[in-house]
Amino acid sequence: MPLPQLTLSLQFGHLQDPAPHRAALPRHKVARWIRHALEADAEITVRIVDAEEGQSLNRDYRHKDYATNVLTFDYAAEPVVMADLVLCAPVIAREAQEHGKTLTDHYAHLLVHGTLHAQGWDHETSEADAEAMEAREIDILAGLGIANPYASR
């Protein structure tokens, strides 16, 4: 079965050191990771931000005053998934280092995670939902040749 179609906008905000993030996120890989997590055609914007922008968005939209790794703003799930995925570069870099993962693999995981959120998956509603979403992420990432991101827990 062919993968869903994706219209992708990849944006980089003002980062202190953008080079490692740009290197970890070539457009063709970002599109591949997202398309493997999609269940329908999509229009998605991915924006890589600094801690200040990440914290501001998380505070304004989730009422949590800290920078988080990924925020998903979902606008439509049918007939076309429409969403913005905002990833906070310094948080992702720190987490990748703390968990002994490559920056590229951690970005792949969080893009898959955010894409699932854009389609209605939610790990905060119940333990069963969290387990189902985690299992789906593991399956998608395995299909992309990326190790289980939860194995080190």
Side-chain angles (χ1 to χ4, degrees), residues 46-65:
V46 173
R47 181 166 172 82
I48 311 304
V49 302
D50 64 8
E52 183 179 343
E53 186 175 348
Q55 181 174 355
S56 176
L57 289 167
N58 200 28
R59 181 182 56 244
D60 292 351
Y61 292 96
R62 295 181 66 227
H63 310 292
K64 296 182 179 186
D65 196 17

Side-chain angles (χ1 to χ4, degrees), residues 10-33:
L10 179 57
Q11 305 172 357
F12 289 85
H14 299 287
L15 303 179
Q16 187 172 8
D17 182 13
H21 302 280
R22 286 185 180 275
L25 292 163
R27 184 179 178 78
H28 71 280
K29 284 188 178 182
V30 171
R32 182 173 182 255
W33 300 330

Side-chain angles (χ1 to χ4, degrees), residues 55-88:
Q55 181 174 355
S56 176
L57 289 167
N58 200 28
R59 181 182 56 244
D60 292 351
Y61 292 96
R62 295 181 66 227
H63 310 292
K64 296 182 179 186
D65 196 17
Y66 58 88
T68 190
N69 51 19
V70 61
L71 293 167
T72 301
F73 298 93
D74 55 328
Y75 309 112
E78 294 179 0
V80 175
V81 175
M82 297 174 73
D84 294 336
L85 305 180
V86 179
L87 293 98
C88 186

